[in-house]
Structures are given as C-alpha cells and as structure tokens.
Amino acid sequence: MYASTVRGLLVRGMLAGLIAALFAFAVAYVVGEPPVRGSIAVEEAAAAKDTASAPSGHAGHGGDAASGEAAEEEEELVSRPVQSTFGLATGVLVYGVALGGIASLAFSFALGRVGGFSPRATAALTGAGAFVLVYLVPFLKYPATPPAVGNPDTIGQRTTLFFLMILLSVLLGVGAIILGRRLAPRLGNWNATLAAGGGFIVAAALAFVFLPDNSDAVQPGFPAALLWEFRVASLAVQLVLWTVFAIVFGVLAQRLLAARTDADRADAPAPAAASALG
C-alpha cells in the first residue's frame, strides 16, 4: 500500500509540476522575454560598434567572402521567435515536470516527519522549502544573468559554481531539518526551529564567503536597469512555479491520502464484529 501511495503522489506531483510550469511559462514569456530581447539588442549593438571601429584594411581582398562565411557560422540554428515560444515552453514544461516529481518524493518523506501537518500544509512547506533551497539561496550568491552578457570563456565554470551552490543549499537544508528534529525534545519545537534556521543561515553565509564570485558574469557597461529587470523576472518565474505547484499538489495529495484513509477504514473489521468473533 505504501508503494502505491508514493507512486500516486509521484504522478500527481508531475501533473502539478506541469500545471505550475504552464503558469511559469506565461510569466516567463510576458515578463522575462522583454529583458532578454533587450540584452540581445545590447549585444548586437556592441558587435556592430566593434565591426565599425575595425581597421578598414581587414575588408580588403577577400574581406567580403570572409564576412559572409563568419555570418553563416554565427547564423542561429533556431530563430528567436521559436526560441521565445516553443523552445521556452518546452524547457519550462520539462523543468516543471521533473522538479514536480522530485518535490513529490520529498513530500512523501516529509509527511508526518516534520510535525503533525496536514497534506496541504506539508505541500506548502515542501514548495516553500524547494523555492528557498533550490533557487533563492543560490540566486543570492549567483544571481541570474541574461544571455550573452558575460564572458563566454567562463560559462562552464560559472555553471559549475551555480550547481555546487544548489547542492550545498539542499544539503544544508536537510541538515537543518535533522538538527531541528534532534533539538526539539530538549528545546521545544519553536526554539528548535529557530536554532536550526539560525544554523542554516550561518552555514549558508560561510558558503557565500568561501565560494568564489562570478566577477565576469556581467560585462562592464551593461545597463543596470535591464539587468535588474531580468533578475526580478527570473525570480518571479520561480516564485510562481513553486507557489502554483504547492497549491495544486496540496489539493491532489489531500484527496489521494483521504481516499486511501477511507479505503483502509472500510477494509478494517468493525469493532462490534471483531468482539463478536472473539
């Protein structure tokens, strides 16, 4: 019965992630695409300026052919309209379904182990915890940046640091939960929660100090207002994703677990029948 319940929660978590991803895609398209287009325009303007300032000798014999070859090499394999619609939708939907499934497994583990919360409340805590650990804490250390604004030679290093921060954040969050549970019998639930939360903040601050910064994530001269707009939009997309997931999955999980509880009660022998058999 437990395995079938977890399987049912996994399916509902993926469904909730899909629904949440649809809302997140709408926000990403309406709010996130304008700063992306703006950053691409800044990059194109800088490239045109560099081309105009290049010595004229480079455009001598064979210069037109070389320029044509370079243009062909730099031609986009996928057009911007496709990237901003079907490409964006595909990426967000796959991301939402995958994280929805993972979050449902975390919910299955947390239910009944982090306090006497209802399935809806546990789903809300799971969504809030996922948003903080998987996105917000890493975002505070390594904020999101629009495409083509950083040094392309260090994109691999910057990506590795970001995922390392996600891993550290999740591990520190799990450690804080374990610490809070062990301190609860001695300090009480409220004081244990405060102590565990404080320990998490201190540990995350130390990670912020010792992990290297992305000093070349944004090129000098990039418009600060455009960068801020993109980062706010990125934060809004994640907030909508996890909020909708927590609401939808909470409802689905509540119904599933209530139905399973009713089925278990129906299968159990009635007290009167049990006493008569005795």
Side-chain angles (χ1 to χ4, degrees), residues 152-163:
D153 296 334
T154 61
I155 188 171
Q157 177 186 355
R158 289 185 275 123
T159 302
T160 301
L161 288 174
F162 181 73
F163 281 103

Side-chain angles (χ1 to χ4, degrees), residues 2 6 9 104-118 122 125-126 174 176-182 184 189:
Y2 178 77
V6 173
L9 290 173
S104 68
L105 297 179
F107 168 89
S108 302
F109 176 80
L111 185 63
R113 293 185 173 92
V114 295
F117 298 104
S118 67
T122 304
L125 292 174
T126 302
V174 173
I177 294 174
I178 296 174
L179 177 63
R181 290 189 61 190
R182 292 186 176 181
N189 290 332

Side-chain angles (χ1 to χ4, degrees), residues 133 136-142 160-173 198-214:
L133 298 178
L136 182 58
V137 172
F139 175 86
L140 294 176
K141 175 61 179 177
Y142 301 117
T160 301
L161 288 174
F162 181 73
F163 281 103
L164 176 60
M165 191 64 230
I166 293 178
L167 179 61
L168 286 175
S169 178
V170 172
L171 292 177
L172 291 176
F200 173 82
I201 293 175
V202 171
L206 291 175
F208 280 21
V209 170
F210 288 104
L211 284 177
D213 295 328
N214 283 338

